[in-house]
């Protein structure tokens, strides 16, 4: 919330430009940016300052009444609105003439810098109060700068370390700014130029990327892109969980995680009973919203009698990719007393990763003798799949 601690501050918002380069049929400050006008958005920043500030608006002569209504809507009270002059310097002078007598610090801001955040206004006020002289925000120049002749001939490369791209709001002690305007004999491109010409000090504080000037249609589109919500919601990863359990069948061969395990009791099931592959299939189908292994492959289809896990995994991958998704990774947890899985973990991970075209990690654990897995009656498997 705004406070009145510190010097009395006023912000002169310069909004008298024609908007010719913007290609608009009305003055630039009254062009709308996703609803509010550029002028309104500039006033939002003034309203949001921590330091209480009066606003003085300088607008085209035919827009005084409209601007006054905008200011009342933003601030909830009338503010000073004056017609501008033929040049920016004349417009600022008109705004300065409307300042209250007790204002000590003046900020001059271009309404065309409509996305400038309130924190930059506060930073400039604080710096003026601390230094006692003019303060302007600026950004380092990142492009290589060349000094060229009128015919385009390059004369030299300018040392950009000594350059800054200056912005608004620019802040000054009131008496210095008034003195500079009174002594002005030429038009300057900004108020800091007048201050420096009058012999007063000016320093630069860090500017804001959002304080860029909206001058061309490209600038207006850039501003729109910065504040407009995404046209589509962000697509999040999809996660599926699958589980499978099979009892041991000493008469069957053991297939687990795509590998054959000789001399180990097999797992009962219509196919090869590979609980790890079946759990992965359910995780993949679940993440893709395609159902489960029973719904896709059936529980007694003769085509899959004795089929190995690779068959189910390959078809599941095809279905997932046909749905416009691809597999990010799969994690598998095998629970059982046997077989001893660690010696073949890498072999199983490489095999399954190759089938799915994505990383597969496998861990195995026991239940310390508890439950049917602890009694070596079967194996349980949990799998998690992430799709993108």
């Amino acid at each position: 919330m705004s406070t009145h601690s510190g010097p009395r501050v006023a912000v002169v918002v310069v909004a008298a430009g024609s908007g010719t380069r913007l290609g608009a049929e009305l003055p630039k400050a009254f062009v709308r940016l996703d609803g509010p006008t550029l002028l309104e958005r500039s006033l939002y920043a003034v309203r949001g300052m921590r330091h209480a500030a009066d606003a003085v608006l300088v607008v085209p002569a035919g827009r005084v009444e409209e601007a006054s209504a905008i200011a009342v809507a933003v601030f909830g009270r009338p503010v000073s609105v004056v017609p501008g002059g033929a040049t920016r310097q004349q417009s600022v002078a008109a705004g300065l003439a409307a300042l209250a007598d007790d204002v000590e610090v003046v900020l001059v801001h271009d309404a065309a810098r409509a996305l400038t955040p309130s924190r930059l206004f506060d930073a400039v006020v604080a710096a003026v109060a601390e230094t006692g002289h003019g303060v302007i925000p600026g950004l380092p120049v990142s492009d290589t700068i060349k000094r060229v002749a009128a015919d385009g001939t390059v004369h030299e490369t300018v040392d950009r370390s000594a350059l800054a791209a200056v912005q608004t709001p620019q802040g000054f002690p009131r008496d210095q700014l008034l003195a500079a305007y009174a002594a002005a004999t030429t038009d300057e491109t900004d108020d800091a130029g007048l201050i420096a010409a009058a012999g007063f000090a000016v320093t630069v504080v860090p500017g804001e990327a959002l304080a860029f000037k909206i001058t061309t249609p490209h600038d207006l589109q850039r501003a729109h892109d910065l504040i407009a919500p995404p046209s589509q919601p962000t697509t999040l990863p999809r996660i599926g969980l699958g589980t499978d359990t099979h009892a041991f069948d000493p008469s069957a061969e053991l297939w687990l995680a795509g590998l054959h395990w000789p001399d180990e009791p097999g797992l009962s099931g219509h196919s090869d009973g590979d609980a790890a592959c079946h759990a992965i299939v359910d995780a993949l189908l679940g993440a893709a919203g395609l159902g489960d292994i029973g719904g896709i492959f059936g529980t007694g289809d003769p085509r899959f009698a004795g089929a190995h896990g690779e068959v189910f995994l390959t078809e599941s991958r095809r279905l997932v990719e046909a749905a416009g998704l691809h597999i990010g990774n799969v994690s598998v947890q095998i629970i059982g007393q046997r077989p001893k899985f660690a010696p073949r973990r890498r072999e199983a991970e490489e095999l399954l990763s190759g089938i799915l075209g994505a990383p597969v990690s496998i861990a195995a654990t026991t239940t310390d003798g508890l439950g049917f897995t602890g009694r070596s009656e079967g194996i349980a498997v949990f799998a998690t799949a992430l799709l993108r």
Side-chain angles (χ1 to χ4, degrees):
M1 180 177 295
S2 298
T3 66
H4 280 284
S5 60
R8 182 70 182 271
V9 176
V11 181
V12 176
V13 180
V14 185
S18 65
T20 303
R21 284 181 289 175
L22 192 58
E25 296 181 355
L26 67 167
K28 178 166 54 177
F30 295 85
V31 171
R32 294 190 178 276
L33 173 58
D34 289 20
T37 62
L38 299 186
L39 175 58
E40 287 175 89
R41 291 189 177 277
S42 294
L43 298 184
Y44 294 159
V46 177
R47 184 185 64 186
M49 292 173 62
R50 292 194 309 271
H51 196 115
D54 297 334
V56 176
L57 280 55
V58 186
V59 301
R63 298 276 175 168
V64 171
E65 185 175 341
E66 181 182 354
S68 297
I70 288 174
V72 169
V74 172
F75 295 108
R77 54 180 171 78
V79 303
S80 295
V81 182
V82 298
T87 66
R88 182 186 184 279
Q89 194 162 309
Q90 292 174 4
S91 293
V92 175
L96 296 179
L99 294 176
D101 293 338
D102 58 349
V103 168
E104 302 167 82
V105 172
V106 180
L107 271 58
V108 182
H109 180 60
D110 293 331
R113 298 182 186 273
L115 300 186
T116 304
S118 300
R119 60 178 175 267
L120 186 57
F121 288 76
D122 287 317
V124 171
V125 170
V128 173
E130 180 181 354
T131 63
H133 60 239
V135 172
I136 59 175
L139 294 175
V141 176
S142 57
D143 293 330
T144 297
I145 305 297
K146 301 288 187 180
R147 192 184 307 279
V148 299
D151 62 358
T153 302
V154 175
H155 285 183
E156 63 176 321
T157 299
V158 179
D159 180 10
R160 64 188 178 194
S161 67
L163 301 177
V166 299
Q167 304 171 320
T168 68
Q170 300 184 357
F172 312 93
R174 175 185 179 156
D175 57 348
Q176 294 181 17
L177 187 57
L178 292 181
Y181 265 81
T185 57
T186 60
D187 274 347
E188 296 287 343
T189 57
D190 69 349
D191 304 288
L194 282 178
I195 285 285
F200 298 111
V202 180
T203 56
V204 176
V205 296
E208 293 269 358
L210 286 172
F212 66 94
K213 191 174 184 179
I214 299 174
T215 301
T216 66
H218 173 76
D219 299 328
L220 190 64
Q221 182 63 47
R222 176 187 174 191
H224 163 76
D225 292 342
L226 285 169
I227 64 177
S231 58
Q232 295 181 348
T234 302
T235 302
L236 298 175
R238 304 184 63 159
I239 299 173
L241 175 65
T243 182
D244 197 28
T245 301
H246 285 281
F248 282 119
D249 179 0
S251 66
E253 293 183 330
L254 178 62
W255 287 84
L256 184 65
L259 301 180
H260 180 228
W261 299 76
D263 304 319
E264 289 283 352
L267 295 170
S268 62
H270 176 63
S271 59
D272 66 355
D274 189 333
C277 288
H278 298 171
I280 293 173
V281 168
D282 267 346
L284 293 172
L285 297 176
L290 298 174
D292 57 28
I293 190 169
I296 298 296
F297 301 101
T299 57
D301 192 326
R303 294 177 300 168
F304 301 115
H308 294 310
E310 180 176 355
V311 174
F312 302 98
L313 293 175
T314 300
E315 177 62 6
S316 297
R317 176 183 176 183
R318 186 191 71 79
L319 292 171
V320 165
E321 293 176 349
L325 302 165
H326 65 273
I327 303 169
N329 71 289
V330 175
S331 177
V332 181
Q333 178 75 63
I334 298 174
I335 304 172
Q337 296 297 119
R338 55 192 308 177
K340 184 79 171 176
F341 197 84
R344 302 189 70 185
R345 175 183 287 110
R346 183 179 296 276
E347 180 185 1
E349 290 175 342
E350 291 177 352
L351 173 66
L352 298 181
S353 297
I355 295 170
L356 296 178
V360 177
S361 58
I362 306 175
T365 188
T366 67
T367 56
D368 291 333
L370 301 175
F372 78 93
T373 57
R375 295 190 297 270
S376 293
E377 295 173 1
I379 288 176
V381 180
F382 294 88
T384 304
L386 183 143
L387 306 183
R388 297 196 292 265

